[in-house]
């Protein structure tokens, strides 16, 4: 696959119009693997956010979208899914150029995106509340589920179109309107989605997209009084800023944040299957993945031989040009992230862990690539055991008993996901019950389905995405009480 011959120019979407930033300023994205400019974008600020929120507010308060039937909304969401399917190749190409992820993986993600829109379409017709016919002869109680209103969505760079598709179609299914701020590093596919929404017949103003940086765009969005909810995916540190900014109008906040996800490997497991999942789990998306299996806990009696096999397998992982279909690990997103990963590698050695593989920048003509890296002798107190590295770095710890494994697994501020590998079903469920994480995979890792909720315990987040429960996140409950027949006056009671 060739690099683009020119930089693509994008506008942002406000009230059904493709517009420049009020300030006229622009910024560019750069391919992490090739160092060439990819997209040229309006550099938004608070003025653009204000216009976008006005449009979303108007579309919610007065427009047709929240008032349509579920069937009508489902039709539009299904059309979007169809358009995504028709555009898998060009979406994947743009995603790879902006994020540095392997093209084969990006294509898989786009297929997943279409699946999310299709699944959310089914939920449009399943938004329902409750009724109480037990309150006495003269009373009826109803509980309505109503769309929460204008939802601000702020997304990261690691799975740009996939992550907005874990939020937007579900919010739309509930009847909400939205203002979206994609990451400044990868806004391209989210803006393309804006065009698909228009082509599918979504009314103007229902979805607005403001491109730009976190402080000028994300912060005023999180603070805006006419935004009813913020749905944020990103780092735990920024998630805390979002919570603080949301206080002005006590808007609802849902957060999908970082993780330090353990895979716990028992000696009785199918070790060949576990090995594949360990290598996939840590190097997938260059380790720039909230679900990254960045630490493994291995039962001591098999730890040495299992580690040897990991190293042999990790050496064979194809790292390189993400536009090459054979590549499994692409480029690190930017200089900051690169420096952060290298600092963790340095720190791991200083803290006394033993570097068994990798640890260096690869020698390439362009971009920045890090060798698949493995540390052994990692102890639970070390930073590389507890903190999110967001790079291709595996920390190997060991344990003797199930209790010890659970204790080490929980020894972090995060609680996003965990894997457990064993043939003993009792043991698998002891671990599943003991680990405080939003998702536990037993004898598999990082599988995901639109049907199954996803989110974190502890500092990995608030609320859940995906699945039928995620629709509830985008709703308010309204209690309605109805009196039947003559009413007894207050003073006659
Ligand atoms: P980030 O927190 O730096 O940025 C996320 C988004 O927030 C970006 O759009 C950014 O511009 C914006 N932002 C930055 N500062 C802001 C502020 N003060 N107010 C409002 N918005 C602001 O995260 P990132 O580096 O883009 O992504 C990596 C992080 O995302 C990792 O920690 C990863 O674990 C997490 N993540 C979590 C999930 C999940 O589902 N739990 C999925 C993917 C990524």
């Amino acid at each position: 696959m060739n690099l683009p011959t020119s930089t693509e120019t994008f506008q942002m979407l406000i009230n059904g119009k493709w517009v420049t930033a009020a300030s006229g300023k622009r910024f560019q994205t750069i391919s992490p693997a090739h160092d060439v400019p990819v997209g040229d974008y309006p550099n938004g600020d608070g003025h653009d956010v204000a216009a976008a929120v006005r449009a979303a507010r108007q579309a919610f308060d007065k427009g047709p979208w929240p008032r349509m039937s579920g069937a009508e909304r489902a039709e539009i969401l299904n059309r979007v899914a169809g358009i995504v399917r028709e555009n898998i190749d060009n979406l994947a190409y743009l995603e790879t150029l902006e994020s540095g992820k392997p093209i084969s993986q990006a294509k898989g993600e786009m297929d997943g995106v279409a699946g999310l829109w299709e699944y959310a379409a089914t939920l449009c017709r399943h938004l329902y509340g409750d009724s109480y016919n037990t309150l006495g002869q003269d009373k009826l109680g109803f509980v309505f589920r109503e769309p929460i209103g204008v939802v601000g969505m702020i997304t990261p760079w690691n799975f740009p179109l996939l992550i907005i598709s874990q939020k937007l179609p579900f919010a739309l299914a509930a009847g909400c309107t939205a203002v979206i701020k994609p990451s400044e590093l990868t806004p391209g596919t989210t803006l393309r989605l804006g065009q698909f929404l228009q082509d599918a017949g979504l009314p103007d103003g229902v979805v607005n997209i403001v491109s730009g940086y976190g402080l000028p765009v994300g912060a005023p969005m999180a603070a805006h009084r006419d935004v009813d909810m913020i749905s944020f995916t990103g780092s735990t540190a920024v998630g805390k800023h979002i919570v603080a900014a949301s206080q002005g109008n006590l808007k609802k906040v849902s957060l999908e944040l970082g993780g330090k996800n353990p895979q716990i490997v028992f000696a009785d497991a199918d070790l060949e299957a576990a090995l594949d999942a360990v290598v996939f789990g840590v190097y997938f998306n260059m380790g720039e993945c909230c679900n990254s299996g960045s630490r493994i806990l291995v039962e001591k009696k098999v730890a040495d031989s299992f580690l040897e096999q990991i190293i042999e397998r990790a050496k064979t992982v194809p790292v390189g040009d993400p536009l090459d279909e054979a590549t499994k690990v692409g480029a690190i997103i930017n200089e900051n992230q690169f420096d952060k990963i290298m600092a963790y590698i340095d720190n791991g050695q200083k803290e006394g862990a033993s570097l068994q593989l990798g640890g260096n920048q690869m020698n390439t003509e362009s971009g920045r690539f890090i060798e698949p890296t493995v540390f052994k002798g990692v102890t639970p107190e070390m930073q590389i055991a507890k903190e999110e590295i967001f790079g291709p770095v595996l920390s190997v710890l060991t344990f003797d008993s199930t209790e010890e494994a659970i204790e080490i697994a929980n020894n972090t501020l995060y609680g996003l996901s965990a894997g457990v590998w064993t043939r003993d079903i009792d043991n698998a469920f002891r671990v599943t019950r003991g680990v405080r994480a939003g998702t536990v995979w037993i004898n598999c890792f990082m599988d995901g389905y639109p049907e199954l909720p996803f989110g974190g315990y502890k500092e990995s987040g608030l609320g859940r995405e995906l699945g039928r429960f995620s629709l509830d996140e985008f709703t308010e409950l309204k209690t309605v009480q109805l009196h039947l027949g003559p009413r007894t006056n207050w003073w006659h009671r």
Side-chain angles (χ1 to χ4, degrees):
M1 264 183 180
N2 296 326
L3 287 173
T5 48
S6 61
T7 308
E8 190 172 344
T9 301
F10 290 83
Q11 304 293 41
M12 53 193 182
L13 180 62
I14 298 181
N15 207 15
K17 307 269 180 316
W18 291 96
V19 295
T20 55
S23 68
K25 291 185 184 154
R26 302 189 68 82
F27 69 98
Q28 290 198 332
T29 54
I30 307 289
S31 166
H34 314 98
D35 298 332
V36 297
V38 181
D40 186 89
Y41 298 93
N43 196 350
D45 63 22
H47 294 98
D48 307 298
V49 171
V53 173
R54 256 195 317 277
R57 186 81 259 162
Q58 176 79 8
F60 186 78
D61 293 343
K62 305 258 165 57
W65 186 252
R67 292 158 192 89
M68 275 184 190
S69 70
E72 288 169 307
R73 286 204 286 263
E75 202 180 323
I76 291 181
L77 265 53
N78 273 322
R79 262 186 242 144
V80 177
I83 303 173
V84 169
R85 287 208 186 282
E86 286 160 17
N87 285 277
I88 283 183
D89 286 349
N90 72 61
L91 287 168
Y93 179 67
L94 179 55
E95 202 79 298
T96 288
L97 285 176
E98 290 200 324
S99 71
K101 70 174 66 214
I103 186 83
S104 58
Q105 181 195 316
K107 285 181 191 169
E109 281 171 39
M110 297 312 147
D111 189 54
V113 165
L116 287 164
W117 284 82
E118 283 156 359
Y119 174 71
T122 69
L123 297 179
C124 293
R125 306 175 78 162
H126 284 273
L127 186 66
Y128 50 82
D130 218 343
S131 65
Y132 286 82
N133 197 22
T134 53
L135 306 176
Q137 280 301 301
D138 57 353
K139 292 286 182 212
L140 264 182
F142 302 99
V143 183
F144 289 176
R145 268 200 186 278
E146 297 191 333
I148 195 165
V150 174
V151 184
M153 301 178 183
I154 303 176
T155 54
W157 46 264
N158 57 346
F159 296 93
L161 197 64
L162 195 68
I163 287 176
I164 191 60
S165 301
Q166 294 185 183
K167 305 177 185 300
L168 183 61
F170 295 86
L172 291 176
C176 295
T177 63
V179 178
I180 299 168
K181 190 209 103 58
S183 167
E184 60 275 18
L185 300 172
T186 55
T189 51
T190 303
L191 286 161
R192 283 223 180 126
L193 177 68
Q195 184 61 56
F196 300 166
L197 294 169
Q198 290 193 312
D199 295 347
L202 192 78
D204 288 352
V206 174
V207 171
N208 307 273
I209 307 171
V210 181
S211 51
Y213 288 78
L215 277 179
V217 179
M221 222 164 110
H224 203 296
R225 299 189 71 83
D226 279 338
V227 173
D228 300 296
M229 172 178 175
I230 290 281
S231 174
F232 171 82
T233 299
S235 60
T236 295
V238 174
K240 290 180 182 180
H241 288 299
I242 301 283
V243 171
S246 71
Q247 287 176 7
N249 67 339
L250 294 178
K251 59 174 66 64
K252 183 171 179 178
V253 175
S254 89
L255 303 171
E256 295 288 338
L257 308 175
K260 185 70 183 177
N261 316 294
Q263 294 214 58
I264 303 172
V265 183
F266 287 91
D268 72 341
D270 175 346
L271 291 175
E272 180 56 33
L275 173 66
D276 185 67
V278 164
V279 175
F280 157 69
V282 65
Y283 301 126
F284 172 71
N285 211 53
M286 298 69 74
E288 295 168 337
C289 180
C290 56
N291 264 330
S292 169
S294 54
R295 56 186 176 133
I296 60 164
L297 321 183
V298 191
E299 192 169 350
K300 244 177 218 156
K301 56 187 167 195
V302 291
D304 286 345
S305 61
F306 193 63
L307 177 65
E308 265 172 42
Q309 291 176 62
I310 291 172
I311 290 170
E312 285 316 304
R313 189 68 63 89
K315 280 183 192 161
T316 67
V317 173
V319 187
D321 184 351
L323 288 174
D324 181 342
E325 289 278 350
T327 293
K328 292 265 188 231
V329 176
I332 302 301
I333 185 79
N334 62 10
E335 210 61 41
N336 271 349
Q337 187 60 26
F338 176 85
D339 291 345
K340 186 180 146 199
I341 300 167
M342 295 311 282
Y344 271 113
I345 293 174
D346 197 34
N347 184 273
Q349 289 167 289
K350 283 189 186 132
E351 283 194 310
S354 160
L355 184 64
Q356 298 286 297
L357 182 72
N360 302 305
Q361 177 171 16
M362 293 174 68
N363 192 6
T364 52
E365 278 173 16
S366 62
R368 59 199 86 70
F369 297 78
I370 295 180
E371 294 168 346
T373 297
V374 179
F375 274 105
K376 81 164 188 181
V378 180
T379 55
E381 311 70 43
M382 291 181 185
Q383 277 184 12
I384 59 168
K386 292 199 293 198
E387 296 179 15
E388 184 181 55
I389 300 175
F390 231 56
V393 181
L394 179 67
S395 298
V396 182
L397 296 89
T398 57
F399 67 87
D400 281 313
S401 67
T402 300
E403 290 64 34
E404 190 190 358
I406 293 171
E407 199 178 314
I408 299 172
N410 286 334
N411 187 35
T412 161
L413 295 174
Y414 297 110
L416 191 59
S417 61
V420 49
W421 293 87
T422 174
R423 288 189 167 99
D424 177 345
I425 193 76
D426 293 346
N427 202 25
F429 273 89
R430 261 198 301 279
V431 173
T432 301
R433 286 177 166 167
V435 170
R436 289 177 46 75
T439 296
V440 177
W441 287 285
I442 303 173
N443 296 330
C444 54
F445 196 70
M446 236 195 284
D447 297 352
Y449 297 90
E451 289 86 341
L452 299 182
F454 178 69
Y457 280 41
K458 302 198 280 183
E459 294 193 24
S460 286
L462 271 182
R464 292 292 180 271
E465 293 189 335
L466 309 183
R468 70 183 173 85
F469 304 104
S470 70
L471 210 56
D472 297 351
E473 300 271 341
F474 296 107
T475 65
E476 282 278 15
L477 289 179
K478 180 176 278 176
T479 300
V480 182
Q481 301 181 36
L482 175 74
H483 182 87
L484 296 164
R487 183 172 178 272
T488 313
N489 282 340
W490 177 44
W491 54 88
H492 289 143
R493 269 186 210 164

